[in-house]
Amino acid sequence: MGLDQIRDLISRAAYIDGHRRQVAKTCEGKVLATLFYEPSTRTRLSFETAMLRLGGQVIGFAGAQVSSASKGETISDTLKVVSNYADLVAIRHPKEGAALVAARAASVPVINAGDGGHMHPTQTLADLATIQARFGKLTGLTVGLCGDLTFGRTVHSLVETLSRFGGVRFVLISPDELRCPKYVLDRIDASPSCEYEQTSDLLSVIGDLDVLYMTRVQKERFFNEDDYLRLCDTYILDKDKLAHAKPSMAVLHPLPRVNEIAQEVDQDPRAAYFQQVKEGMLVRMALEAALLGDELPGYQAWKEVEA
Ligand code: CP
């Protein structure tokens, strides 16, 4: 997706937020299929709510065991079948590249709702909309990403996209065992106006950050439970640590959280992770309407006034 398209979706999400009634029939008669082979609360429910709020309908399954994948059906065959039922598909799968395989087999648009430890592009739209709402810009920021940077697909997608916008200083905070993969670091290196540093010490850098993006250690992607248990509570953001941060810093987290952010942080105005949830539904509404070719009633006139 191009940067102008991303900016446009964020703008459309802002429009939708203030014009729920006007857009309520935008996708009338359209069907979204959510094919979730992995657990989800936010992504699946927000995709589905988005479609319902646009006047469309939803089909799908949650869990590979309740689909014919449990009988051995391939992703390609499933997508060839579901393309007959739905106008748009959102797929989450534990294997990296599964969404690409699905898109190649389908005859309708396919959205990657998370493929293994690889990418989660629509979470990035929610993250960017939140950063835009908080700072009024996506560049010129120091962005810390903390926790499981190896398996954290939301981190990979966000770094990839922010690197394309440029002008970002990334501070990658993780234990040595959970560093960002090389293909993600290469994206930063490819951006002439971005740079990064790697550290394992959150407290030593927290005061520099505009955004602190906390992540869960991804238990389900570990081969060895002992390794998970050793690493899972490496970083816990609490009031004491937050006292060292800028008053304007925003704390993001794709959720679900386990222990990475103490509940006491929720009341702090810097906590932006529940705002991300709301933005997630709005950007998915914008994305679904755009992919189905449906213009949001009133959007163009609103945009002219806003500009
Ligand atoms: N952020 C996110 O992907 O959450 P879910 O796993 O609940 O969908």
Side-chain angles (χ1 to χ4, degrees):
M1 187 179 291
L3 300 184
D4 285 344
Q5 286 173 302
I6 293 172
R7 282 192 202 95
D8 186 56
L9 286 176
I10 293 172
S11 167
R12 285 169 185 268
Y15 172 75
I16 289 167
D17 193 24
H19 300 83
R20 305 276 181 113
R21 232 181 298 160
Q22 286 94 322
V23 304
K25 292 185 176 174
T26 304
C27 291
E28 206 167 34
K30 303 285 173 55
V31 176
L32 166 74
T34 52
L35 313 183
F36 275 58
Y37 296 81
E38 248 193 2
S40 169
T41 295
R42 274 146 295 274
T43 311
R44 184 173 67 82
L45 294 182
S46 64
F47 266 116
E48 295 184 353
T49 307
M51 196 59 181
L52 295 171
R53 287 188 190 275
L54 291 168
Q57 291 172 295
V58 176
I59 59 171
F61 55 78
Q65 71 284 356
V66 297
S67 80
S68 284
S70 64
K71 303 177 213 164
E73 186 163 65
T74 63
I75 296 171
S76 294
D77 279 0
T78 300
L79 269 292
K80 284 176 192 157
V81 170
V82 174
S83 293
N84 291 286
Y85 309 149
D87 303 291
L88 181 63
V89 172
I91 182 169
R92 169 171 289 189
H93 199 282
K95 286 197 178 146
E96 290 79 6
L100 183 61
V101 171
R104 286 181 175 155
S107 57
V108 297
V110 173
I111 304 169
N112 182 1
D115 62 329
H118 182 221
M119 294 283 172
H120 192 347
T122 63
Q123 178 64 47
T124 293
L125 293 175
D127 302 341
L128 295 178
T130 306
I131 294 170
Q132 176 71 39
R134 289 262 165 166
F135 296 96
K137 60 181 185 178
L138 298 172
T139 61
L141 299 168
T142 298
V143 178
L145 300 113
C146 180
D148 183 351
L149 308 189
T150 299
F151 300 115
R153 58 192 174 196
T154 66
V155 167
H156 305 163
S157 284
L158 183 58
V159 169
E160 192 271 338
T161 309
L162 279 175
S163 295
R164 288 196 286 131
F165 277 102
V168 174
R169 179 176 160 236
F170 295 100
V171 183
L172 305 173
I173 308 148
S174 72
D176 288 343
E177 295 96 324
L178 295 176
R179 293 275 186 238
C180 244
K182 184 176 178 307
Y183 73 87
V184 177
L185 299 179
D186 287 346
R187 302 292 179 102
I188 307 175
D189 285 331
S191 175
S193 58
C194 290
E195 57 185 55
Y196 71 88
E197 64 179 89
Q198 300 187 85
T199 179
S200 52
D201 186 358
L202 171 60
L203 211 50
S204 70
V205 294
I206 195 169
D208 297 338
L209 306 178
D210 299 306
V211 174
L212 173 57
Y213 194 96
M214 297 296 293
T215 62
R216 174 179 69 91
V217 176
Q218 306 268 304
K219 182 180 184 184
E220 64 274 32
R221 313 216 189 277
F222 275 68
F223 293 111
N224 179 329
E225 192 170 2
D226 289 342
D227 286 344
Y228 168 74
L229 292 172
R230 184 167 49 79
L231 295 167
C232 64
D233 287 337
T234 307
Y235 302 105
I236 299 175
L237 183 67
D238 56 18
K239 270 185 172 175
D240 290 345
K241 289 198 186 75
L242 209 48
H244 297 269
K246 292 180 190 174
S248 59
M249 191 184 78
V251 181
L252 274 69
H253 190 309
L255 304 180
R257 70 175 147 184
V258 184
N259 286 327
E260 310 81 53
I261 303 178
Q263 303 266 344
E264 65 190 17
V265 175
D266 296 1
Q267 276 73 49
D268 192 291
R270 289 170 284 192
Y273 28 94
F274 290 112
Q275 183 181 355
Q276 274 170 281
V277 173
K278 179 184 170 189
E279 298 290 353
M281 187 196 67
L282 295 171
V283 292
R284 288 179 179 110
M285 287 176 78
L287 180 63
E288 288 171 356
L291 286 173
L292 291 169
D294 294 324
E295 185 52 283
L296 299 167
Y299 173 67
Q300 292 302 339
W302 175 84
K303 196 177 163 190
E304 277 169 31
V305 172
E306 288 293 302

